[in-house]
Amino acid sequence: MSNRIEDPPDGKAEIIARYGNPDADGDMVLDAKWYADNLIVGNLPWPMRLAWTGETVKRVQAHRLVMDSLMDALYEVGKTFGLYEAGSGIGMDEVRRRNWDMWGGCFNFRYMRQYPALSVHSWGAAVDICPDLGRQGHREDIATFPRAYVDAFRSRGWDWGGAWGEQWLADAMHFQAVTGY
């Protein structure tokens, strides 16, 4: 698969080696040069809704090294849902009724919610999808999270927060193009 994240970086040192350092001086201020050199905007293959407002989302910002894989995974999800051919899946009305089109975000320069370290979102190498259906810390959400997302992202080398062991909080909404962090 051409849009697979091959040998995803494992741990912070490998993440920085692959994706660069958005905070090289450690002052928790986004480095403007890193931002300009590494983040790009892509058009979603199908419209989603912003999880906290319901506003339509058509474009997203991600790291240049993960954008193709991200868009390819979302295209496959849309195909599975039947969004491109009438009668081939559940269709957009049902996707919306189930809230399977909710976008939780990609690039967001910030610390992790539970740990004093940069979130993988700070590199634009993580996405949150359907946050109300895959709440952080709720292991019970793993079984009911839409499998189309899990299958599409995992087949492209992305790590899924719903598969993390007990040492990390379950985070079914979260997919990242890294491991071990």
Side-chain angles (χ1 to χ4, degrees):
M1 188 170 297
S2 63
N3 288 321
R4 181 173 169 75
I5 302 296
E6 295 296 338
D7 193 25
D10 185 49
K12 187 174 182 181
E14 288 186 19
I15 293 169
I16 291 172
R18 171 87 53 95
Y19 300 129
N21 192 341
D23 185 25
D25 61 6
D27 65 354
M28 234 359 240
V29 174
L30 179 62
D31 182 87
K33 181 169 177 13
W34 178 90
Y35 179 90
D37 291 347
N38 291 289
L39 294 180
I40 60 174
V41 174
N43 295 316
L44 289 172
W46 48 282
M48 298 183 80
R49 292 180 292 161
L50 198 56
W52 51 93
T53 67
E55 181 180 341
T56 300
V57 178
K58 294 181 180 179
R59 297 164 47 96
V60 299
Q61 191 171 36
H63 196 284
R64 61 186 170 74
L65 297 178
V66 306
M67 183 65 84
D68 287 345
S69 181
L70 168 62
M71 292 302 153
D72 194 51
L74 291 172
Y75 180 83
E76 180 181 317
V77 170
K79 190 173 181 181
T80 300
F81 289 165
L83 304 183
Y84 312 124
E85 286 183 44
S88 64
I90 63 174
M92 184 56 95
D93 289 343
E94 185 63 15
V95 167
R96 286 183 174 256
R97 189 188 71 71
R98 296 180 186 188
N99 287 326
W100 286 3
D101 64 328
M102 301 308 262
W103 181 257
C106 184
F107 172 71
N108 184 4
F109 184 75
R110 63 173 174 80
Y111 281 130
M112 293 182 198
R113 285 182 177 43
Q114 302 294 325
Y115 307 98
L118 282 180
S119 166
V120 179
H121 290 283
S122 297
W123 282 273
V127 296
D128 290 338
I129 297 171
C130 304
D132 289 344
L133 305 175
R135 302 163 297 166
Q136 186 180 48
H138 290 263
R139 291 208 174 273
E140 68 273 15
D141 290 355
I142 294 168
T144 59
F145 193 80
R147 298 306 296 180
Y149 288 109
V150 177
D151 295 345
F153 278 95
R154 291 188 91 183
S155 71
R156 286 162 181 79
W158 292 66
D159 194 20
W160 178 44
W164 294 342
E166 295 296 322
Q167 78 273 21
W168 298 101
L169 285 174
D171 198 0
M173 74 173 109
H174 186 84
F175 299 89
Q176 59 184 34
V178 308
T179 61
Y181 185 83

